[in-house]
Every structure is written in C-alpha cells, then in structure tokens.
C-alpha cells in the first residue's frame, strides 16, 4: 500500500514537472508532444535528455544572432524591397510569377537577389573534393570555412594541412565548425593550424564539448569563401566516417559572382556570434568587385532558431504554390509538418507531378522509419514516392516546373526548419533547373517506386514502429 502510494506520488510529480518544463518556453506543438512523451515515459533519463537536447537558446544568444550587422547589405536589401514593391522586374530581371518568391524571401530573411552569377552544380564527392582543394590552394588573401562535419580521416587531415600551408604563407584563415557534427575531432587536431596563425572556433560551444546544453542547436551550414571571389555551399561534409553509410551523391554549389558577398556576410555574422575575440569588421578585400559573366539569378536564405519566422520553409511553401507542372524533391529525411504536407497534397490533387525521393537507408534509422510514414501519406495523396537504392542519397533539392531550383543544407524536416542553423539557395535559372531535373531522372534509375499498396501491405508492427518514430522525429 505504501509502495503504491509512493509510486503514485512520483508519477504525479513527474507529470507535473514535465508539463511545467515543456510549456515554460514557446515551441511547436509536435515538439511539445514529443518531449512530453519522453519525460513521462523516462522519468529520470528523460530530463537528462531534455537538458541536453530540449532547452532553447538563451534570449541573450538569440538577440546576438538576430542583431548582427549585415556589413552594408541591409541597405541593399531595403532598396530591393522598395524596387520590387514598385515592379515585378527587380534589377531588370523579368521573373514573372517568380517575383512573388523573390518578395517573400526579401521580406522574411532579407535575402538579397543577385544576378549574373556563375554557378556550378557539383554532385559527386570526388569532384567536390578536387574543386574545393584546388580553390583553397589558389587563395592569396583569405579562406573562410564553416562546416558541420569535419572527419579526422585522410580528407580532413589533408584539408587541415593545406590550411596550415596557406596560413604560413600569410593567407588569413578562419574556420567555424559544429561540435556535434564534428564530434570525432579532438582539440589538438587544430593546434597546427592555430600555431600557423589560423583562427578556429567551435560554433556557440562550451568548454564541455559534447556535453553541451546548446547541443540541440546545431550549425548545419556548410560554407567556404575564398578571397571573396569563390564560394561553396551545399550538402557535402569534409571526409567520411567508416561507421556511417558512405555519401557519394549530394548537391553542392560552386559560385562566382555577386552571391559570394552574401555568403561572406553570412559567415561574418556567424563568426562574430561565436568568436570571443578577433571579431571581423568590413574590409574592402573581403568584398571585391564581382565579375558579371554568369547567367544565374539567385537568393541565399538563412534559417535558424534566431528567426521569428521559418524563412526557408516559407520559401518552400511559396515554391510549391507556384508550381504548375512539377515538384520534384530529393531529401535524406522527409518529415514535413502539416503545412508542407498539405501544400504538397493540394499540388498533387491539382494535377502537378509531385515526386519525392529519399534513400532506402540512412544514418539515423529512426528518421528513416518516420520518413516512410510520411511517404505513405504522400502516396495516398497522389504523389509518386521513391526509395533510392545506391547508398545514402544526401542531396537536398527541390525542382519546380522549368523555372525554379532550391538546394542547400536543409532537410525537409522540423529540425532543419526550427532547430538547426541552415542555408539554402533559391535559383532562377532554367539551365540549372534542367540540369537538376536530369539528375533526378538519373537517380530514378537507381530507385524503386514506393507505392500505396506497399505501404498498406506492411505488418501492423512495422506500421506502429513508423508511427512511434514520427512522434520522436521533431526532437531528433
């Protein structure tokens, strides 16, 4: 009797504390239910997990992220906002209905629209490594690199040693990395670069490393800026882990032109947020005049918990709304919220060719199961869904009609929109759209169709496993 009373008291107290803990800060309803489930089912361990993964960034940190100066770009954004309010052809570019997307991204994220960029879509790891190392080797003024995962393997060591060589030659080297994504790195890994004069900072980390109450807010942005003239952004990490599925197929952009300045500004904002000393201020050498030799018009959009709105997701919603013929999506994880799910269902129901391709297996089994739950929903809504069979497809692209392409670091899941610091390019270039569509069709040759019948034929146990996985997906 006494034991039963004590257990009842513990359960009631745990439930009360769980409710207070989860509701003390505003958060998405899906995350609220997921954390309540964890805290209620795992009374002690649940609170440890919440401390590490569930707490939001402090108000001071959010304010620091949100109030960074845009190095003069804010004034350019304001001018473009005024121009697009007056005409649907900003900077002389006739974007048609795409002006609605431009306007949305300008207003939600201050995403500067740039023209005449030269953009190369890189999809194979060997090509990415070769191009990146060649550009870094040619640097004469500065190298700025922001990474989620850097592995201490042959590629990671080669990159570090190349940066050491450049720093010794007088090139200014700054590097920001995420401590969760790069958890295999030890502090001594960077010592040769620091000894050579390079600057290295873990992103908003603490001295405790992985045991970090901010670890749930991961810097998933992957940027490289070389001499202010060449920029990289996209999905490829540096190196590979032998314990994870190999990633051979991804999407990365190599950019020259005006858009490199927006990548540079993004890097400086992140650097000044996390660096305790040696913050960066405007210098002309960081923003050289860009050649106007390319054909690509584009906007670079940032996402993160420092925003009042989910800018990248809003961009995706606008893209989907603009579709007349097709929406082709590749993503490692497909765990959309109701707004994206409904938007895609409406598009499919109106006759738009909606296709979603994901890898059959990934490095996070729970997310793979949750993804299959939503693939089944999409198949029932009339979309065509595919499971890629040739390894871990890591590409994150959205192709809309023959006019729009988006690619970057964000997966189509709640973490990417709410918790991670992400970056995405919205591209207005029919030639690049055609190239991305051809890549999608090539990937279909290595994929199987995941049909409604396949989803409905699974055992009840397998279906329940997927349903439980999607409950936890918002906090993974």
């Amino acid at each position: 009797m006494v034991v039963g009373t004590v257990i009842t008291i513990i359960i009631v107290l745990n439930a009360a504390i769980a409710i207070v803990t989860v509701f003390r800060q505003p958060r998405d309803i899906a995350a609220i239910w997921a954390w309540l489930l964890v805290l209620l089912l795992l009374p002690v361990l649940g609170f440890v997990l919440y401390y590490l993964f569930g707490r939001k960034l402090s108000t001071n940190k959010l304010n620091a992220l949100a109030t960074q100066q845009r190095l003069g770009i804010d004034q350019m954004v304001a001018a473009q906002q005024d121009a697009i309010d007056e005409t649907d052809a900003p900077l002389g570019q006739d974007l048609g209905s795409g002006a609605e997307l431009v306007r949305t991204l300008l207003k939600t994220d201050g995403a500067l629209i740039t023209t005449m960029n030269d953009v190369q879509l890189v999809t194979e790891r060997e090509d990415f490594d070769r191009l990146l190392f060649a550009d870094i080797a040619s640097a004469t003024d500065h190298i700025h690199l922001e990474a989620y995962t850097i592995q201490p393997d042959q590629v990671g060591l080669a990159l570090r040693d190349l940066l050491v060589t450049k720093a010794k030659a007088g090139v200014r080297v700054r590097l920001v990395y995420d401590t969760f994504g790069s958890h295999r790195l030890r502090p001594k890994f960077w010592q040769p670069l620091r000894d050579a004069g390079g600057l290295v900072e873990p992103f908003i980390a603490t001295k405790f490393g992985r045991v970090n109450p901010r670890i749930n807010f991961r810097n998933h942005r992957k940027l490289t800026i070389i001499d202010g003239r060449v920029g990289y952004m996209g999905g490829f990490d540096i190196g590979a882990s032998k314990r994870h599925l190999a990633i051979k197929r991804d999407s990365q952009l190599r950019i020259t032109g005006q858009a490199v300045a927006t990548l540079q500004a993004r890097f400086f904002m992140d650097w000044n947020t996390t660096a305790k000393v040696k913050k960066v201020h405007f210098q002309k050498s960081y923003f050289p005049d860009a050649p106007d030799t390319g054909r690509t018009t584009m906007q670079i959009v940032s996402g993160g918990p420092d925003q009042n709105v989910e800018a990248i997701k809003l961009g995706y919603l606008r893209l989907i709304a603009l579709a007349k013929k097709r929406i082709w999506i590749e993503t490692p994880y497909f765990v959309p919220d109701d707004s994206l799910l409904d938007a895609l269902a409406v598009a499919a129901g109106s006759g738009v060719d909606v296709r979603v391709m994901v890898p059959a297996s990934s490095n996070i089994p729970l997310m793979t199961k949750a993804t299959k739950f939503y693939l089944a929903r999409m198949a029932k809504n009339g979309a065509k869904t595919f499971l890629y069979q040739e390894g871990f497809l890591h590409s994150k692209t959205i192709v809309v009609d023959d006019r729009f392409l988006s690619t970057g670091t964000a997966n189509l899941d709640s973490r990417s929109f709410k918790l991670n610091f992400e970056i995405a390019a919205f591209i207005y270039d029919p030639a690049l759209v055609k190239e991305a569509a051809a890549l999608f069709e090539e990937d279909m040759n290595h994929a199987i169709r995941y049909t409604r019948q396949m989803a409905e034929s699974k055992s009840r146990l397998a279906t329940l496993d997927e349903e439980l996985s999607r409950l936890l997906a918002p906090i993974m």
Side-chain angles (χ1 to χ4, degrees), residues 11 395 399 402:
I11 292 174
S395 177
V399 175
D402 300 317

Side-chain angles (χ1 to χ4, degrees), residues 166-338:
K166 301 306 293 184
K168 287 181 178 179
V171 175
R172 292 172 287 184
V173 176
R174 294 181 179 88
L175 186 147
V176 177
Y177 69 98
D178 183 81
T179 54
F180 184 88
S182 301
H183 63 270
R184 291 185 63 205
L185 297 184
R186 299 293 177 261
K188 65 179 182 180
F189 180 86
W190 296 118
Q191 197 56 49
L193 180 55
R194 291 190 172 103
D195 291 342
L199 301 176
V200 181
E201 292 283 351
F203 187 73
I204 57 172
T206 70
K207 62 182 179 181
F208 300 110
R210 293 191 73 186
V211 184
N212 180 353
R214 297 172 183 159
I215 206 168
N216 200 36
F217 301 95
R218 302 163 197 168
N219 184 10
H220 199 237
R221 293 172 185 150
K222 303 166 190 181
L223 307 173
T224 306
I225 302 95
I226 299 154
D227 291 345
R229 299 184 184 279
V230 179
Y232 287 82
M233 62 161 290
F236 277 117
D237 292 311
I238 305 298
S241 171
K242 295 180 179 178
R243 291 176 290 184
H244 291 159
L245 294 173
I247 300 171
K248 184 173 183 292
R249 174 70 174 80
D250 211 324
S251 293
Q252 191 89 11
L253 300 180
R254 182 187 183 274
I255 305 168
T256 60
Q258 300 170 7
V260 178
T262 65
L263 296 180
Q264 187 83 286
R266 178 71 267 168
F267 176 86
F268 283 166
M269 284 187 282
D270 292 343
W271 177 268
N272 287 346
T273 292
T274 199
K276 298 177 179 62
V277 295
K278 298 190 177 181
K279 297 183 185 295
V280 183
H281 302 286
F282 178 83
Q283 292 182 26
K284 178 60 178 175
S285 61
Y286 294 136
F287 295 90
D289 294 334
D292 294 331
T293 57
R295 63 169 188 251
T296 303
T297 298
M298 62 192 301
Q299 289 172 283
I300 305 294
V301 181
S302 299
D306 53 317
Q307 293 181 330
N308 293 323
V309 296
E310 298 166 27
I312 293 177
K313 188 186 81 170
L314 289 178
Y316 289 168
L317 287 170
R318 174 58 75 181
L319 264 181
I320 293 167
L322 290 172
K324 304 298 183 185
K325 296 188 297 184
R326 67 179 172 188
I327 304 168
W328 291 0
I329 297 171
E330 286 188 338
T331 178
Y333 309 112
F334 183 72
V335 187
D337 63 9
D338 288 344

